[in-house]
Amino acid sequence: VQLEGYARLTPRQDPNAIADALIDIAADPVLARAQTRAGRDHVCREWSSEKAFRDLRRTLTTVPFGADRESAA
């Protein structure tokens, strides 16, 4: 599976699929450079420390703290 041209997903715990993906990218330096650029562009567009902290705050404020301890008692 290709992700917007910057990454290739392989099945979990499948060393052959990972090896095939690495061989494919090593065999095609033009593709490797294109994926590198696409990945960098994606990060520059989509990531910021402000967004990361906002997402973390949202997650931490929606997690029901203590719920596991109460149900275990």
Side-chain angles (χ1 to χ4, degrees), residues 41-55:
D41 291 346
H42 174 77
V43 169
C44 289
R45 245 190 351 268
E46 301 295 327
W47 192 89
S48 71
S49 57
E50 293 82 11
K51 181 183 181 311
F53 284 115
R54 191 171 49 247
D55 291 350

Side-chain angles (χ1 to χ4, degrees), residues 30-69:
V30 172
L31 176 61
R33 282 190 294 279
Q35 286 187 336
T36 299
R37 281 191 300 273
R40 183 182 189 288
D41 291 346
H42 174 77
V43 169
C44 289
R45 245 190 351 268
E46 301 295 327
W47 192 89
S48 71
S49 57
E50 293 82 11
K51 181 183 181 311
F53 284 115
R54 191 171 49 247
D55 291 350
L56 177 60
R57 176 179 282 174
R58 184 180 322 115
T59 299
L60 293 176
T61 58
T62 59
V63 172
F65 289 106
D68 290 337
R69 281 184 260 140

